[in-house]
Each structure stands twice: as structure tokens, then as C-alpha cells.
Amino acid sequence: MTLHSVILGTGSALPKQRVSNDDLAKRVDTSDEWIVARTGIRFRHIAGEGETTATLAAAAARQALDAAGISADSVDLIILATATPDQTFPASATKVQALLGIEDCVAFDVAAVCSGFLYALSVADSMIRTGAAKRAIVIGAETFSRILDWEDRTTCVLFGDGAGAVVLEGRDGAAGILATKLHADGRHNELLYVDGGPSTTGTVGHVRMKGSEVFRHAVVNLATVMTEVLSTTGLTAADVDWVVPHQANARILDATARKLGLSAEQIVVTVDQHANTSAASVPLALDTAVRDGRIQRGQILVLEAMGGGFTWGAAVIRY
Ligand code: UT7
């Protein structure tokens, strides 16, 4: 018997308010031309009153449960990847649990910023394959708009809010998560971080990033981890149908694809519509491509992400 974590369904949620580059140019010294040329971003969604990481996460989870055709109370594990929890504690995953009406399950948050969804997916997969869980909801959800410095044009134009989710179940067979690979290198804290926290300043803080240095690391680390994770499955880049990447910058997506010899058409791109939604970006892109029919059952997917820490990782899935 070969137990794999199979994706039964996907879902996503975006805040109501959609903000264009021109809207931002009214607030900070920037332009649609600069943002599109440097990042590929055209729009982002920004959470309004009553919209939080947990409410977006629960909406995405509900959609994934519907797509999977299963009821919430059959889930025994919720992992929420986020760097913008509703409260410092308890874990926002427990709030999602309550919103979904699940009385008892395991629920916790994972903090790995933009690669959080890959970290959460890997932990859920391990728990499923060891028998610690049978059905899991894995969510990436963020409200980065609440930790942006809206005076800093080098960061505030890059991020957006949203959530994406998958429902996983352990099943015997060839489909499911084939491999995951995670990395962290804590020496690069000062390249991408938040300048506050409960144990240092007692404040929430704002995102700070040395963008061009993060860019250089991202292209190298992402290409390497994708090759690494594929090699553990015996597959090569030629076997890959779709790459579902972290959506930070269209130029990073192009450069990474080129390094692996993949065509631009095989990369799922949503950065133009959602901007960088941190932990939400991979599951949001996955759900988009599942719902529009690009991703089909049986296809080989590579998911990848890199973010603050640095942390980075990739997964190979037979969908
Ligand atoms: O999600 C985690 C992973 N994050 C990433 O992967 C992000 C990686 N980095 C990037 O995507 C890019 O580095 C950025 C999009 C953040 C920046 O692009 P860049 O081509 O690296 O630009 P830069 O930081 O080198 O800045 C170039 C110029 C600067 O002006 P000077 O010094 O050359 O006169 C900036 O001040 O662009 C200026 N600039 C802006 N101009 C208009 C920076 N932000 C803006 C802005 N509008 N919003």
C-alpha cells in the first residue's frame, strides 16, 4: 500500500476591495508603468472592515470543502500558514475551526511567511502518511495590508490580501503529494522582515525588504529546490505539466522557468491580479488554475515558494 495525501478540493477567497496601480499612485510616488514593468502587478485586493486573515481563511476552506464534497466535521486537522494572524495568540487556525463549526480537531498556525503554504502542506502530508491525521484542511491566508508602511513605495505596491485552501485525504494509489522539500537560512533576516513583534517592540511592526537582494536569492533558491524535489521522485522537468509558484514578481517567475527549461505557458501566473499575497499566493494560484480548467487530474504539478527567513520549499504533486 502506498499512502499519498490527495488533494480532494481547492478553494480561495479575496477581499471585496480591488485596488489598481493608479489608485496607489494617488497615495505614494509611483506609477502604473513602474509597477507593471518591475513586477507584473496590476491589481491587488485589500481587506476592509470585518475581513481578517481568519475570515478569509474560513471562506477559502469552505469553498475547498464544497469542491471536495465533504463536510467540515469529517476533518481532523487544520493547518493555517500565515504571518498576519488575527491575534498574537491563539492560533488563527482555531478561529477558522470555530468558524467552520468543527468541535474537535488538531488546529495550529505555521509561520514561514511566503513559503508558509509549502511548510504547512509538508507537515500535513507527513501527519497523513504517519496516520496522525486522515483529512486535513491546509490554508494560506494573509492580510499583509495591515503590516505595510503605506508611506514606503518600495513595499506597499507589492503586496495584497487573500486566502487559498486545499482539502487533503490519505489514499492508497499513485495520485497525491509525491514529495516535498523545505529549507531555511536564518542568516538573511535583515533582507526581509517586520520591524516589530510581541517580544521585541511590543508592536506589530511594518514589512521591510531589500528587494533586489531578495530577488537574486529567490531565482537561485527556487530553481535549485525545484530540481531537488523532482529528483527525489525520479521525475524531471520534462514530466512537469504546471508550475504553481509563489507570486512575488513576474520577472522571478520567468527567470525560474527559464533556468529549468520550462515554457512560460506552463507557469500559472496570478501576480497581475493578486500581487504578492505571501502564504496565500500558491494556493490562490492553484485554485485559480483548477477552477479555470487548466489543471487536470493526473497532471504533474510543482509548487514552489520563497520568503522571509529566508525560508523556501517546493512540492511535487500528481493532481
Ligand atoms: O515574497 C517574498 C519574496 N519577495 C520577492 O521575491 C521580491 C523580490 N524583489 C523584487 O521583486 C524586486 O526587487 C522589486 C520589485 C521589489 C524592486 O525591483 P528592482 O528592479 O529590484 O528595483 P530596485 O529596488 O533596484 O529599485 C529601482 C529604482 C529605485 O530608484 P533609484 O535608486 O534607482 O533612483 C527605487 O527607488 O526604483 C525605485 N522604486 C520605485 N519607483 C517607483 C522603488 N519602488 C518604486 C515604486 N515606484 N513603487
Side-chain angles (χ1 to χ4, degrees), residues 1-6 8 128-129 169-176:
M1 166 157 162
T2 315
L3 190 66
H4 283 124
S5 308
V6 175
L8 298 186
I128 286 172
R129 283 186 297 104
E169 183 180 74
R171 285 193 180 173
D172 186 23

Side-chain angles (χ1 to χ4, degrees), residues 219-243:
V219 175
V220 174
N221 289 345
L222 290 171
T224 308
V225 75
M226 284 164 74
T227 309
E228 213 178 354
V229 74
L230 275 168
S231 73
T232 65
T233 63
L235 299 171
T236 67
D239 299 307
V240 175
D241 293 294
W242 296 102
V243 178

Side-chain angles (χ1 to χ4, degrees), residues 100-185:
L100 295 177
I102 303 172
E103 277 181 25
D104 185 25
C105 72
V106 177
F108 59 94
D109 290 357
V110 160
V113 207
C114 298
S115 39
F117 183 76
L118 268 304
Y119 267 68
L121 196 71
S122 182
V123 173
D125 177 44
S126 302
M127 289 180 71
I128 286 172
R129 283 186 297 104
T130 57
K134 288 192 168 56
R135 273 184 177 171
I137 306 177
V138 183
I139 313 163
E142 302 277 16
T143 44
F144 252 54
S145 64
R146 305 223 159 106
I147 55 165
L148 292 174
D149 175 353
W150 287 99
E151 310 276 298
D152 176 11
R153 68 174 184 175
T154 69
T155 51
C156 76
V157 304
L158 304 175
F159 295 93
D161 302 333
V166 298
V167 172
L168 297 178
E169 183 180 74
R171 285 193 180 173
D172 186 23
I177 299 174
L178 305 183
T180 61
K181 181 71 192 161
L182 304 175
H183 290 280
D185 183 349

Side-chain angles (χ1 to χ4, degrees), residues 196-214:
S199 183
T200 49
T201 59
T203 62
V204 172
H206 292 118
V207 176
R208 306 291 173 206
M209 176 163 73
K210 296 198 174 108
S212 54
E213 291 183 58
V214 177

